[in-house]
Amino acid sequence: LPVPAFVSAAIALGSNVGDRARHLGSALDAIVSIPRTELRAASRIFETMPVGPIPQGRYLNSAAILSTSLSPHALLDALHSIERSLGRDREAGQRWGPRTIDLDLLVHGEAVVEGPELTLPHPRLRERAFVLIPLASVAPDLVIPASDAGPEQTVAQALAVLEASGGVVPGACILYEPE
Ligand code: PH2
Ligand code: MG
Ligand code: MG
Protein backbone atom coordinates (compact mmCIF):
# COMPACT_ATOMS: atom_id res chain seq x y z
CA LEU A 1 0.00 0.00 0.00
CA PRO A 2 1.41 3.42 -0.85
CA VAL A 3 2.15 5.59 2.16
CA PRO A 4 0.32 8.90 1.72
CA ALA A 5 2.67 11.88 1.74
CA PHE A 6 2.40 14.42 4.50
CA VAL A 7 2.29 18.06 3.46
CA SER A 8 2.26 21.32 5.41
CA ALA A 9 -1.10 23.07 5.54
CA ALA A 10 -1.88 26.53 6.90
CA ILE A 11 -5.17 27.46 8.57
CA ALA A 12 -6.55 30.87 9.57
CA LEU A 13 -8.77 31.00 12.67
CA GLY A 14 -11.19 33.85 13.39
CA SER A 15 -14.03 34.70 15.78
CA ASN A 16 -15.94 37.89 16.52
CA VAL A 17 -19.03 36.62 18.36
CA GLY A 18 -19.36 35.54 22.01
CA ASP A 19 -16.33 34.30 23.93
CA ARG A 20 -13.93 34.77 21.03
CA ALA A 21 -10.78 33.42 22.71
CA ARG A 22 -12.66 30.36 23.91
CA HIS A 23 -13.89 29.64 20.39
CA LEU A 24 -10.33 29.78 19.04
CA GLY A 25 -9.12 27.51 21.84
CA SER A 26 -11.92 24.98 21.29
CA ALA A 27 -11.20 24.97 17.56
CA LEU A 28 -7.52 24.21 18.19
CA ASP A 29 -8.46 21.39 20.57
CA ALA A 30 -10.64 19.91 17.83
CA ILE A 31 -7.97 20.42 15.15
CA VAL A 32 -5.59 18.30 17.25
CA SER A 33 -8.06 15.39 16.87
CA ILE A 34 -8.33 15.49 13.05
CA PRO A 35 -7.18 12.10 11.72
CA ARG A 36 -3.94 11.78 9.73
CA THR A 37 -3.05 15.30 10.88
CA GLU A 38 -0.65 16.82 13.39
CA LEU A 39 -0.67 20.34 14.77
CA ARG A 40 2.85 21.71 14.19
CA ALA A 41 2.47 25.32 15.36
CA ALA A 42 -0.18 27.71 16.60
CA SER A 43 0.34 31.47 16.62
CA ARG A 44 -0.48 33.84 19.42
CA ILE A 45 -3.88 35.51 19.18
CA PHE A 46 -4.22 38.94 17.55
CA GLU A 47 -7.10 41.38 17.94
CA THR A 48 -8.03 42.83 14.56
CA MET A 49 -10.28 45.48 13.08
CA PRO A 50 -13.11 43.96 11.02
CA VAL A 51 -12.38 43.98 7.29
CA GLY A 52 -15.12 44.08 4.66
CA PRO A 53 -18.43 45.71 3.86
CA ILE A 54 -20.38 44.69 6.98
CA PRO A 55 -20.13 46.71 10.23
CA GLN A 56 -19.28 44.24 12.99
CA GLY A 57 -17.20 43.76 16.11
CA ARG A 58 -13.46 43.23 16.31
CA TYR A 59 -12.10 39.78 15.57
CA LEU A 60 -9.63 37.60 17.32
CA ASN A 61 -7.47 35.93 14.68
CA SER A 62 -4.70 33.35 14.80
CA ALA A 63 -2.98 30.90 12.47
CA ALA A 64 -2.01 27.25 12.68
CA ILE A 65 0.39 25.04 10.75
CA LEU A 66 -0.57 21.40 10.29
CA SER A 67 1.16 18.40 8.82
CA THR A 68 -1.44 16.24 7.10
CA SER A 69 -1.91 13.36 4.71
CA LEU A 70 -5.56 14.31 4.14
CA SER A 71 -6.47 15.69 0.74
CA PRO A 72 -7.39 19.38 0.56
CA HIS A 73 -11.12 18.55 0.37
CA ALA A 74 -10.95 16.03 3.22
CA LEU A 75 -9.18 18.58 5.41
CA LEU A 76 -11.74 21.25 4.43
CA ASP A 77 -14.57 18.87 5.40
CA ALA A 78 -12.92 18.29 8.79
CA LEU A 79 -12.62 22.08 9.33
CA HIS A 80 -16.27 22.63 8.36
CA SER A 81 -17.44 19.98 10.80
CA ILE A 82 -15.43 21.66 13.58
CA GLU A 83 -17.10 24.98 12.65
CA ARG A 84 -20.52 23.33 12.93
CA SER A 85 -19.65 21.67 16.26
CA LEU A 86 -18.82 25.15 17.61
CA GLY A 87 -22.18 26.54 16.57
CA ARG A 88 -21.41 28.06 13.21
CA ASP A 89 -24.45 28.09 10.92
CA ARG A 90 -23.27 28.78 7.39
CA GLU A 91 -26.84 29.02 6.06
CA ALA A 92 -27.88 31.69 8.57
CA GLY A 93 -24.67 33.72 8.47
CA GLN A 94 -23.91 36.43 5.92
CA ARG A 95 -20.88 36.29 3.69
CA TRP A 96 -18.26 38.51 5.39
CA GLY A 97 -20.60 38.83 8.41
CA PRO A 98 -20.04 38.09 12.10
CA ARG A 99 -19.19 34.51 13.03
CA THR A 100 -18.55 32.41 16.15
CA ILE A 101 -15.74 30.58 14.40
CA ASP A 102 -14.20 30.68 10.96
CA LEU A 103 -11.56 28.16 9.89
CA ASP A 104 -10.09 28.97 6.50
CA LEU A 105 -7.76 26.61 4.64
CA LEU A 106 -5.05 28.90 3.26
CA VAL A 107 -2.38 26.63 1.79
CA HIS A 108 -2.15 22.86 1.37
CA GLY A 109 1.35 21.89 0.27
CA GLU A 110 1.78 22.71 -3.41
CA ALA A 111 -1.92 22.28 -4.22
CA VAL A 112 -3.48 24.77 -6.64
CA VAL A 113 -7.26 24.27 -6.71
CA GLU A 114 -10.06 26.25 -8.39
CA GLY A 115 -13.43 24.82 -7.46
CA PRO A 116 -16.88 25.72 -6.20
CA GLU A 117 -16.08 24.75 -2.58
CA LEU A 118 -12.40 25.46 -2.38
CA THR A 119 -9.75 27.71 -3.91
CA LEU A 120 -6.10 27.11 -3.05
CA PRO A 121 -4.05 28.99 -2.20
CA HIS A 122 -6.78 31.07 -0.52
CA PRO A 123 -7.63 33.81 -3.06
CA ARG A 124 -7.57 36.69 -0.55
CA LEU A 125 -4.69 35.49 1.62
CA ARG A 126 -2.22 38.04 0.24
CA GLU A 127 -4.59 40.98 0.87
CA ARG A 128 -5.28 40.29 4.52
CA ALA A 129 -3.02 41.56 7.27
CA PHE A 130 -5.21 39.73 9.81
CA VAL A 131 -4.13 36.47 8.10
CA LEU A 132 -0.53 37.24 7.08
CA ILE A 133 0.63 38.78 10.39
CA PRO A 134 -0.34 35.77 12.57
CA LEU A 135 0.85 33.36 9.86
CA ALA A 136 4.22 35.11 9.43
CA SER A 137 4.76 34.87 13.19
CA VAL A 138 4.85 31.04 12.99
CA ALA A 139 5.74 30.24 9.35
CA PRO A 140 7.52 33.11 7.56
CA ASP A 141 9.21 30.68 5.15
CA LEU A 142 6.07 28.74 4.18
CA VAL A 143 5.70 28.87 0.40
CA ILE A 144 2.45 30.16 -1.10
CA PRO A 145 2.19 28.47 -4.52
CA ALA A 146 1.65 30.57 -7.65
CA SER A 147 -1.99 30.89 -8.71
CA ASP A 148 -4.34 33.41 -10.36
CA ALA A 149 -4.10 35.38 -7.10
CA GLY A 150 -0.34 35.92 -7.26
CA PRO A 151 3.18 34.57 -7.79
CA GLU A 152 4.95 31.97 -5.69
CA GLN A 153 6.02 33.79 -2.53
CA THR A 154 6.93 32.99 1.02
CA VAL A 155 4.56 34.27 3.68
CA ALA A 156 7.19 36.84 4.73
CA GLN A 157 7.48 38.08 1.14
CA ALA A 158 3.70 38.37 0.79
CA LEU A 159 3.53 40.36 4.03
CA ALA A 160 6.34 42.67 2.88
CA VAL A 161 4.46 43.33 -0.39
CA LEU A 162 1.26 44.08 1.51
CA GLU A 163 3.14 46.43 3.85
CA ALA A 164 4.78 48.23 0.90
CA SER A 165 1.35 48.82 -0.67
CA GLY A 166 -0.09 50.36 2.50
CA GLY A 167 -2.20 47.31 3.29
CA VAL A 168 -1.02 47.02 6.90
CA VAL A 169 -2.85 49.66 8.94
CA PRO A 170 -1.08 50.57 12.21
CA GLY A 171 -3.04 49.24 15.19
CA ALA A 172 -5.48 47.18 13.11
CA CYS A 173 -3.81 43.86 14.05
CA ILE A 174 -2.28 43.80 17.51
CA LEU A 175 -1.30 41.06 19.93
CA TYR A 176 -4.31 40.21 22.12
CA GLU A 177 -3.75 40.61 25.84
CA PRO A 178 -6.71 39.21 27.79
CA GLU A 179 -7.29 41.28 30.94
N1 PH2 B 1 -13.22 37.51 8.49
C1 PH2 B 1 -14.15 37.84 7.62
C2 PH2 B 1 -14.52 39.23 7.33
N2 PH2 B 1 -13.70 40.19 7.99
N3 PH2 B 1 -12.03 40.78 9.51
C3 PH2 B 1 -11.08 40.41 10.39
N4 PH2 B 1 -10.38 41.35 11.01
N5 PH2 B 1 -10.80 39.10 10.66
C4 PH2 B 1 -11.49 38.10 10.06
O1 PH2 B 1 -11.22 36.89 10.33
C5 PH2 B 1 -12.50 38.45 9.13
C6 PH2 B 1 -12.75 39.82 8.88
C7 PH2 B 1 -14.90 36.82 6.89
O2 PH2 B 1 -14.35 35.56 7.03
MG1 MG C 1 -14.38 30.84 6.07
MG1 MG D 1 -12.76 33.88 6.51
Side-chain angles (χ1 to χ4, degrees):
L1 230 57
V3 178
F6 275 76
V7 301
S8 291
I11 311 292
L13 299 86
S15 171
N16 76 336
V17 173
D19 190 337
R20 301 170 299 165
R22 192 185 164 87
H23 295 142
L24 295 190
S26 302
L28 267 190
D29 288 344
I31 284 170
V32 166
S33 302
I34 298 175
R36 292 166 52 180
T37 300
E38 284 174 35
L39 177 63
R40 281 293 156 82
S43 78
R44 306 257 319 257
I45 293 174
F46 293 77
E47 186 160 45
T48 69
M49 295 299 291
V51 170
I54 295 176
Q56 56 186 313
R58 289 180 192 221
Y59 278 80
L60 295 186
N61 284 114
S62 65
I65 301 297
L66 313 180
S67 175
T68 187
S69 61
L70 294 178
S71 69
H73 280 95
L75 181 56
L76 184 71
D77 286 346
L79 296 174
H80 283 169
S81 77
I82 293 170
E83 288 181 340
R84 284 192 300 274
S85 75
L86 292 175
R88 171 89 174 266
D89 183 349
R90 286 189 165 266
E91 313 301 284
Q94 299 165 281
R95 189 168 192 214
W96 310 107
R99 60 265 324 266
T100 51
I101 188 71
D102 185 31
L103 302 174
D104 288 341
L105 181 52
L106 304 171
V107 170
H108 183 288
E110 298 178 355
V112 178
V113 175
E114 286 272 2
E117 302 103 36
L118 178 63
T119 302
L120 284 174
H122 192 291
R124 290 169 298 280
L125 156 65
R126 292 177 177 80
E127 303 158 14
R128 292 176 162 178
F130 67 79
V131 171
L132 288 176
I133 289 173
L135 188 56
S137 75
V138 285
D141 298 329
L142 183 82
V143 174
I144 307 168
S147 73
D148 285 352
E152 179 177 299
Q153 285 171 322
T154 67
V155 169
Q157 285 169 335
L159 179 56
V161 169
L162 186 65
E163 272 167 353
S165 71
V168 179
V169 177
C173 180
I174 58 173
L175 262 182
Y176 175 60
E177 309 281 2
E179 61 258 31

